[in-house]
Amino acid sequence: MAESTKKSKYEELEKKLSYASKNIWSEADKKTVDAIHAYAELYKAFLDRSKSERLTVQWLVGGAEKRGYRKLSKVTKVKPGDLIYALNRDKNIVLIKVGSKPIQEGINFIVAHADAPRLDLKQIPLVEDTEIALLKTHYYGGVKKYQWLNIPLALTGIVVTKDEKRVEVSIGFEDDDPVFVIPDLLPHLAKKAQGEKKSGEFIQGETLNLIFGTVPVKDEKVKEKVKLAVLQRLNEQYGIVEEDFISAELQAVPAVKPRDAGIDRAVIAGYGHDDRVSTFAAVTALFDVEKIERTAVAFIVDKEEIGSDGPTGAKSLFIFNTIGEIIEKTTGECTDSTLRRAMERSTCISADVNAGINPMYKSVHDEKNAAKMSHGVVITKYTGHGGKYMANDADAELVGKIRNLFNRNGIFWQYGGMGKIDEGGGGTIAKYFAFYNASVIDCGIPVIGMHSPYELISKADLYYSYRGYRVFLEQC
Ligand code: MN
Ligand code: MN
C-alpha cells in the first residue's frame, strides 16, 4: 500500500499555529533566484567603490543625479513627485521623493549608516623606527585588533592644506597600486609577548602602525632619512607637508574586493557590509518606488559606529533642519510645530545589520530568537544590553504593522534579536529617531563575521531587504 501524502490533523494544526522562518533558497522559484543574483551584482559594484562614508555619499550623489534628483539648496519650490537630495559635509545624504499627501502628515524614513569600522590615521601619523617609516593609526569603532594585521590595506580620505585646499587621497584600490600592511609578530617569538595575554590585550592600539616606506634619502646629515624620503614623495605627488596631516581625515580600510563566497555563490564576502548593505538597499528601494502618498526618505548617517555624535551623526539636527526646509519650500513657511508634527507622525525603519548565527559560535545566541542567514530581512523589536538598556523597543502595534506589510507582499522576513541575554549587546540609531516621537523599528539583514575586514552576507537576504524597504516606502 502506498504511503499517504495527506497531512495528518496535527501536522495541519502545527502549520497553522506555529511560527518558523523559511530558507529563501528552498522556497524561491527560478525567476526569483535570478533576480537575487542580478541585484547582488549591482550591490557588489557599489560596495567595491564605497570603502568610506565620503566615497559612499559620492557614489549615491552620482546615482541620484542620474535619476533626476536635484540638490535642495538649488530648488526654490517643492511639489509632489519631486526628487530631491541634500548633503551634509559630504558625509550625510538625504534622498527625498515627495509624496502626494502633505509632508506634515508624516514621512516614511529609512535610515542607514555609511561609516564602518576601520583604522583612522592619527593627526601626526608619520614616524620613523629602525629605518622604517610608519603611519600610526587610531582604530574607529568596534574592531578586534588582531584581524587587521597582515592584510592588505588601502588609504582613502582627504587632506586640507595650509591654503585650505582639499586634496583627495586614494592608494591601494587599483590592482597595480601599492597596499599597506601592519605586521604581526612571528609565532616563533610570540610566546610571552602575545601568547600569555588575553585576546583583547595581546594587540595594543599603539602597535597598529602601517609600514609606509623603507627607502632613505642619501644624506648622512639627516637623522630620519626614510621619513624625509617619504615626505618628499608625498610633497611631489600631493603637494602636502607634514603639518597638513593635522587637518586630514585619512583612513586605512581593507584593500579587498567583494567576492562571491561558497561553491554555490550564494554569499558575498566584503568589507563594510555593516552598514553599506542597508544603505544600498534603502537607496535603491527609494529609486525604484512608484506612486507614493507619504513622502519617502532614505537618510544615510555617519558616526554610527562611535555613538552617533558629531554634526554628521544621527543625533545631529541635520535631518530635522532639512525636513523643515522641504516644508518651507512646499508651503511657503514652516513653523516649529508643523515641523515637529511632521516628524512625530513619521514612521522610520532603522536599517542596520543584525548578528547572523555563526555555526562555530552558536552558544552566544538564543537560537529561536536569532537571525539565520538566508532566512530573509530581520525584524528586531529591541536591541541594547542587560535589561534592555538603551533600547528603542518598538511598540507591538508597529511590529505588527511591519510584519503584516511584509506578509501581504511576499517578503521573506524573520525575527532576530542581538544574542543571548547578558552575552553582550549593541545598539542602532533607532533611539535617536524615536527622540522625535516617530515610530521606529530595526530592520536589516544578518551578517556573519560582523566588524571584521571581510564580512559575510547572503544574497537572498540582501534582495529581500531591498524588496521589504520598497514596500515599506510605498505602502506604510
Ligand atoms: Mn551597523
Ligand atoms: Mn556596526
Side-chain angles (χ1 to χ4, degrees), residues 201-264:
E201 294 161 5
F202 82 89
I203 305 296
Q204 301 290 310
E206 292 293 345
T207 65
L208 295 177
N209 301 329
L210 311 170
I211 292 198
F212 195 55
T214 52
V215 179
V217 293
K218 287 176 183 162
D219 186 338
E220 282 317 306
K221 294 214 177 93
V222 174
K223 227 176 108 203
E224 296 182 309
K225 299 182 189 61
V226 181
K227 181 182 165 185
L228 186 63
V230 159
L231 279 173
Q232 186 185 20
R233 199 176 280 270
L234 287 173
N235 188 257
E236 282 164 10
Q237 278 182 20
Y238 297 97
I240 60 177
V241 298
E242 190 177 9
E243 192 180 304
D244 294 335
F245 277 117
I246 294 171
S247 49
E249 281 181 352
L250 293 169
Q251 35 184 284
V253 297
V256 291
K257 281 188 182 305
R259 304 276 296 263
D260 287 351
I263 192 72
D264 46 14

Side-chain angles (χ1 to χ4, degrees), residues 113 274 304-305 450-451:
H113 67 93
D274 176 11
E304 193 278 339
E305 296 294 358
M450 199 194 292
H451 284 203

Side-chain angles (χ1 to χ4, degrees), residues 113 115-117 141-142 273-275 304-306 352-353 418 427 450-451 455:
H113 67 93
D115 61 320
H273 288 316
D274 176 11
D275 188 32
E304 193 278 339
E305 296 294 358
I306 58 167
D352 205 344
V353 295
M418 181 61 105
M450 199 194 292
H451 284 203
E455 303 171 320

Side-chain angles (χ1 to χ4, degrees), residues 119 132-135 148-154 178-184 207-213 252 255:
L119 305 177
I132 295 176
L134 301 168
L135 286 177
W148 296 74
L149 306 178
N150 285 103
I151 61 165
L153 298 167
V179 293
F180 308 98
V181 176
I182 300 167
D184 195 3
T207 65
L208 295 177
N209 301 329
L210 311 170
I211 292 198
F212 195 55

Side-chain angles (χ1 to χ4, degrees), residues 62-285:
E65 286 185 341
K66 218 168 67 193
R67 286 169 178 82
Y69 279 74
R70 291 174 303 152
K71 205 170 182 178
L72 180 59
S73 56
K74 293 185 181 154
V75 171
T76 49
K77 194 97 190 92
V78 174
K79 57 179 191 321
D82 278 0
L83 304 173
I84 293 159
Y85 76 89
L87 287 180
N88 183 20
R89 295 169 167 82
D90 294 338
K91 297 181 190 180
N92 287 157
I93 183 167
V94 191
L95 297 134
I96 303 152
K97 179 164 182 167
V98 183
S100 55
K101 275 189 184 169
I103 296 170
Q104 303 86 292
E105 291 181 23
I107 294 162
N108 289 337
F109 283 101
I110 304 182
V111 186
H113 67 93
D115 61 320
R118 61 185 190 239
L119 305 177
D120 285 339
L121 291 199
K122 288 196 181 194
Q123 297 323 118
I124 301 179
L126 186 59
V127 295
E128 176 171 336
D129 198 334
T130 54
E131 294 171 46
I132 295 176
L134 301 168
L135 286 177
K136 301 181 75 149
T137 70
H138 193 138
Y139 67 97
Y140 174 98
V143 306
K144 290 165 99 175
K145 299 185 190 82
Y146 69 86
Q147 294 180 335
W148 296 74
L149 306 178
N150 285 103
I151 61 165
L153 298 167
L155 274 182
T156 177
I158 61 153
V159 181
V160 176
T161 61
K162 65 176 187 304
D163 42 7
E164 292 182 42
K165 225 176 70 213
R166 209 161 83 151
V167 180
E168 289 196 19
V169 174
S170 172
I171 316 168
F173 296 125
E174 304 304 328
D175 286 342
D176 55 351
D177 276 358
V179 293
F180 308 98
V181 176
I182 300 167
D184 195 3
L185 181 58
L186 68 170
H188 317 64
L189 299 178
K191 193 165 172 274
K192 285 187 207 146
Q194 292 182 335
E196 289 165 10
K197 292 182 180 151
K198 286 187 187 165
S199 74
E201 294 161 5
F202 82 89
I203 305 296
Q204 301 290 310
E206 292 293 345
T207 65
L208 295 177
N209 301 329
L210 311 170
I211 292 198
F212 195 55
T214 52
V215 179
V217 293
K218 287 176 183 162
D219 186 338
E220 282 317 306
K221 294 214 177 93
V222 174
K223 227 176 108 203
E224 296 182 309
K225 299 182 189 61
V226 181
K227 181 182 165 185
L228 186 63
V230 159
L231 279 173
Q232 186 185 20
R233 199 176 280 270
L234 287 173
N235 188 257
E236 282 164 10
Q237 278 182 20
Y238 297 97
I240 60 177
V241 298
E242 190 177 9
E243 192 180 304
D244 294 335
F245 277 117
I246 294 171
S247 49
E249 281 181 352
L250 293 169
Q251 35 184 284
V253 297
V256 291
K257 281 188 182 305
R259 304 276 296 263
D260 287 351
I263 192 72
D264 46 14
R265 295 182 171 266
V267 163
I268 304 171
Y271 163 65
H273 288 316
D274 176 11
D275 188 32
R276 293 176 192 135
V277 72
S278 316
T279 295
F280 185 74
V283 172
T284 51

Side-chain angles (χ1 to χ4, degrees), residues 59 269 317 348 352 436:
W59 194 96
L317 284 178
C348 172
D352 205 344
Y436 299 111

